[in-house]
């Protein structure tokens, strides 16, 4: 059956360190993968999209990698700050304009 | 920056009542979606809508649910006879989609539906 797993439910790191979040999937052939940030009681906020033919994408302190052989995406936040504390969701899409399938999310806590 | 808006932010209704959740997608977007998130669980797809018709729906989207684009800006989700298990956050999303256009889906802030 199709499955998306985000490596852990919670990740605690110190300010200034790099946070690395993992998204693994099975029995999917996604065309693209998106990462979102979700704060409690709020809607997901789009961060980055990476396509199946791209290895890496960057935006400011954020970096996403996509390995279709390993069926894995890594999401990095460098020089993390307490304001980065939130739940981060990965979502797979198999075709433009169709459903996104979400993982359960990893809750990141950055302490000062 | 353009954003998806949703009203109301919180809706309380009694079991068996009809509710309509409203969304205004980003103006130049062509695809519209509804998702829901039960407290503590993952975001789940309900339905997508393109060119005035449903393009995809999930098993959750049964006959109790319907969607409509009543005018050029609004997109609505109707639940005909609400059940306790319909209590969740409902998110509207939209995307541009087209040749050479990005596929990102942008989400609204959500409507918290509480069925009592």
């Amino acid at each position: 059956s199709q499955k998306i797993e985000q490596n852990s439910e919670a990740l605690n790191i110190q300010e200034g360190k790099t946070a690395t979040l993992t998204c693994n999937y099975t029995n999917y052939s996604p065309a693209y993968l998106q990462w979102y940030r979700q704060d409690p009681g709020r809607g997901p906020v789009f961060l980055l999209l990476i396509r199946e033919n791209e290895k890496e994408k960057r935006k400011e302190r954020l970096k996403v990698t996509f390995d279709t052989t390993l069926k894995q995406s890594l999401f990095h936040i460098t020089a993390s700050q307490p304001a980065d504390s939130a739940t981060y969701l990965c979502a797979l899409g198999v075709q433009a304009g169709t459903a996104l399938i979400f993982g359960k999310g990893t809750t990141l806590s950055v302490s000062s | 920056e353009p954003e998806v808006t949703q009203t109301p932010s919180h809706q309380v209704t009694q079991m068996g009542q009809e509710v309509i959740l409203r969304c205004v997608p980003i103006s130049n977007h062509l695809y519209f979606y509804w998702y829901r998130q039960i407290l503590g669980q993952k975001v789940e797809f309900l339905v997508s809508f393109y060119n005035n018709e449903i393009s995809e729906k999930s098993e959750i989207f049964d006959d109790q649910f319907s969607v409509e684009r009543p005018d050029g800006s609004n997109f609505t989700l109707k639940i005909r006879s609400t059940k306790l298990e319909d209590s969740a956050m409902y998110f509207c999303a939209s995307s541009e989609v087209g040749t050479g256009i990005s596929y990102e889906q942008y989400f609204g802030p959500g409507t918290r539906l509480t069925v009592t």
Side-chain angles (χ1 to χ4, degrees):
Chain A
S1 64
Q2 297 174 328
K3 207 186 278 188
I4 302 173
E5 287 181 344
Q6 295 193 239
N7 60 326
S8 56
E9 287 193 11
L11 181 65
N12 300 304
I13 64 167
Q14 279 198 314
E15 184 175 7
K17 302 289 186 189
T18 296
T20 298
L21 285 65
T22 306
C23 178
N24 294 294
Y25 60 92
T26 53
N27 297 321
Y28 274 116
S29 295
Y32 59 98
L33 189 148
Q34 303 189 32
W35 283 89
Y36 289 83
R37 170 184 172 138
Q38 187 176 32
D39 291 288
R42 313 291 285 271
V45 175
F46 171 77
L47 297 174
L48 279 170
L49 178 148
I50 188 164
R51 300 188 192 205
E52 60 178 332
N53 60 349
E54 296 173 323
K55 295 289 184 195
E56 183 179 298
K57 265 281 185 64
R58 289 176 187 259
K59 180 183 172 183
E60 297 171 354
R61 294 185 296 112
L62 309 180
K63 184 177 88 170
V64 175
T65 63
F66 194 9
D67 189 326
T68 54
T69 303
L70 291 179
K71 297 187 184 297
Q72 180 182 80
S73 174
L74 299 179
F75 177 77
H76 307 271
I77 306 174
T78 57
S80 58
Q81 305 163 0
D84 295 326
S85 298
T87 296
Y88 291 86
L89 311 175
C90 79
L92 304 184
V94 296
Q95 194 176 326
T98 62
L100 285 178
I101 309 301
F102 280 83
K104 219 178 164 187
T106 296
T107 299
L108 174 67
S109 297
V110 182
S111 54
S112 55
Chain B
E1 190 170 318
E3 56 184 23
V4 177
T5 59
Q6 290 185 242
T7 53
S9 57
H10 191 188
Q11 173 93 47
V12 181
T13 189
Q14 287 194 322
M15 202 165 49
Q17 295 297 303
E18 174 183 287
V19 293
I20 297 176
L21 310 183
R22 292 183 167 79
C23 167
V24 179
I26 295 172
S27 63
N28 63 334
H29 285 188
L30 301 175
Y31 282 81
F32 315 118
Y33 315 83
W34 283 102
Y35 291 81
R36 78 171 186 192
Q37 187 175 32
I38 295 170
L39 190 63
Q41 297 188 25
K42 58 174 72 175
V43 176
E44 301 175 289
F45 169 76
L46 294 177
V47 65
S48 61
F49 192 85
Y50 171 71
N51 202 25
N52 283 317
E53 59 182 30
I54 290 173
S55 51
E56 187 184 7
K57 60 182 181 178
S58 72
E59 290 176 355
I60 303 168
F61 194 86
D62 61 22
D63 292 343
Q64 293 299 313
F65 292 89
S66 62
V67 288
E68 196 178 35
R69 187 147 162 87
D71 53 45
S73 59
N74 290 284
F75 179 51
T76 62
L77 174 70
K78 183 195 289 186
I79 310 175
R80 263 181 267 284
S81 178
T82 49
K83 308 185 194 84
L84 293 175
E85 54 264 36
D86 293 327
S87 295
M89 280 286 277
Y90 287 80
F91 297 112
C92 174
S94 68
S95 61
E96 208 167 352
V97 189
T99 305
I101 302 295
S102 297
Y103 304 158
E104 297 96 336
Q105 293 187 21
Y106 293 91
F107 283 70
T111 293
R112 179 171 298 285
L113 177 65
T114 303
V115 183
T116 61

